[in-house]
């Protein structure tokens, strides 16, 4: 389903390079689906942060013929991202998207098959862009932005311990005070 689907935020920061084919495609898709959204270069100025945690692509031999030549390759893309709000609350926790395609290979047509592999990887990245946009426009994301107080935060609050008083260790925090009858 394509069309305008406004996102619940108007400014977005991402660490995905806008100079890459994938990054440019993602930006175009987000702007096409939510024309009121604009990208900012400073994370502090954004209402939401789309962070790429991992992006890897691989090619592996899937099958060999009797001579040991490759007959088929498996193409994989693994993409991990998360979406946080301006306060650091996880709107979308680290999410892994994985795409796999199989491509027949013929050693007699090396140049054509290499081009085909490049095209298939490009199509896989476009599919990934579409899936990311669907995740961003999901009702759960809109609900999370409407109720930010219900979100978990990335950073744990630091305990309020006065500087002049040492923190007293509990039996579980000091390993020297653990008894042999515990869970350890």
């Amino acid at each position: 389903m394509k069309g305008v689907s406004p996102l619940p935020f108007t400014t977005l920061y991402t660490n995905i390079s806008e100079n890459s084919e994938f990054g440019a495609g993602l930006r175009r898709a987000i702007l096409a689906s939510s024309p009121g959204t604009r990208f900012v270069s400073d994370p502090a100025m954004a209402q939401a942060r789309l962070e790429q945690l991992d992006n890897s692509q691989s090619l592996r031999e899937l099958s060999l013929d009797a001579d040991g030549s490759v007959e088929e390759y498996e193409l994989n893309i693994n993409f991990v991202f998360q979406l946080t709000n301006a306060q650091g609350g996880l709107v979308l926790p680290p999410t892994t998207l994985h795409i796999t395609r199989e491509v027949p290979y013929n050693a007699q047509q090396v140049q054509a098959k290499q081009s085909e592999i490049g095209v298939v990887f490009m199509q896989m990245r476009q599919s990934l862009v579409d899936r990311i946009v669907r995740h961003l426009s999901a009702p759960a994301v809109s609900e999370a932005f409407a109720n930010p107080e219900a979100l978990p935060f990335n950073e744990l609050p630091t305990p309020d311990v006065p500087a002049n008083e040492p923190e007293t260790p509990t039996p579980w925090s000091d390993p020297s005070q653990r008894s042999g009858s515990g869970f350890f």
Side-chain angles (χ1 to χ4, degrees), residues 30-170:
I30 289 173
L31 293 174
S33 103
S34 181
T37 302
R38 67 182 177 85
F39 286 88
V40 295
S41 58
D42 181 9
M45 301 299 291
Q47 292 175 322
R49 293 186 300 260
L50 175 64
E51 298 166 339
Q52 171 183 298
L53 304 176
D54 181 43
N55 187 5
S56 59
Q57 94 180 18
S58 64
L59 173 84
R60 80 176 183 103
E61 299 169 352
L62 192 59
S63 63
L64 304 173
D65 64 10
D67 297 329
S69 299
V70 177
E71 283 189 331
E72 198 171 24
Y73 279 109
E74 179 182 81
L75 285 60
N76 294 292
I77 294 181
N78 201 40
F79 184 77
V80 183
F81 71 99
Q82 68 182 15
L83 182 70
T84 58
N85 64 13
Q87 295 77 33
L90 278 171
V91 176
L92 281 175
T95 304
T96 302
L97 301 177
H98 184 78
I99 301 175
T100 301
R101 299 283 187 274
E102 296 170 2
V103 176
Y105 189 76
N106 183 342
Q108 303 299 319
Q109 304 168 341
V110 174
Q111 195 170 18
K113 288 301 179 175
Q114 290 299 326
S115 294
E116 180 182 0
I117 289 171
V119 168
V120 172
F121 268 128
M122 186 175 64
Q123 291 169 343
M124 292 167 68
R125 286 188 292 273
Q126 183 56 48
S127 174
L128 201 57
V129 164
D130 295 341
R131 290 172 65 186
I132 292 167
V133 171
R134 280 195 304 273
H135 276 279
L136 295 179
S137 59
V141 171
S142 296
E143 186 178 316
F145 270 92
N147 302 314
E149 63 280 350
L151 294 175
F153 286 86
N154 290 335
E155 301 172 79
L156 296 173
T158 55
D160 294 331
V161 177
N164 57 357
E165 293 180 33
E167 186 176 341
T168 357
T170 62

